[in-house]
């Protein structure tokens, strides 16, 4: 099972694809999103969004933003 991840900035779609896991810098602490994660909306603070796909692990540095998880779809809106 996988997650559909979309990372969007004001300028463009930074990433859109299937991933195995996502780690985000939530304002209450870093947390991991795996398939079948409970629905959640959380704000993000300065840190690194890490995601793993078939090509390996990738990192995106962010200044702020928010994440929404709903039915294995993860949408992250970020500022750099």
């Amino acid at each position: 099972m996988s997650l559909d991840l979309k990372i969007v900035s004001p300028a463009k779609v930074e990433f859109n694809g299937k991933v195995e896991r996502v780690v985000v810098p939530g304002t209450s602490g870093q947390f991991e999103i795996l398939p079948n994660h409970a629905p959640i909306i959380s704000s993000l603070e300065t840190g690194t969004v890490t995601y793993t796909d078939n090509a390996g692990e990738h990192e995106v540095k962010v200044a702020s933003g928010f994440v929404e998880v709903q039915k294995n779809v993860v949408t992250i809106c970020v500022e750099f």
Side-chain angles (χ1 to χ4, degrees):
M1 177 148 302
S2 63
L3 298 164
D4 291 317
L5 173 63
K6 188 172 191 176
I7 302 174
V8 193
S9 74
K12 64 178 184 168
V13 174
E14 304 292 332
F15 178 82
N16 190 12
K18 299 270 188 197
V19 300
E20 298 168 12
R21 63 188 279 274
V22 182
V23 179
V24 296
T27 51
S28 296
Q30 179 176 305
F31 64 95
E32 182 175 31
I33 302 163
L34 296 169
N36 297 318
H37 194 286
I40 188 172
I41 295 176
S42 175
S43 54
L44 302 178
E45 64 180 22
T46 301
T48 304
V49 172
T50 306
Y51 60 92
T52 305
D53 64 11
N54 290 337
E57 191 169 278
H58 309 275
E59 294 184 346
V60 178
K61 303 282 186 197
V62 301
S64 64
F66 69 89
V67 59
E68 178 185 23
V69 180
Q70 182 98 7
K71 297 181 181 176
N72 290 323
V73 176
V74 181
T75 305
I76 304 176
C77 297
V78 298
E79 292 276 344
F80 297 110

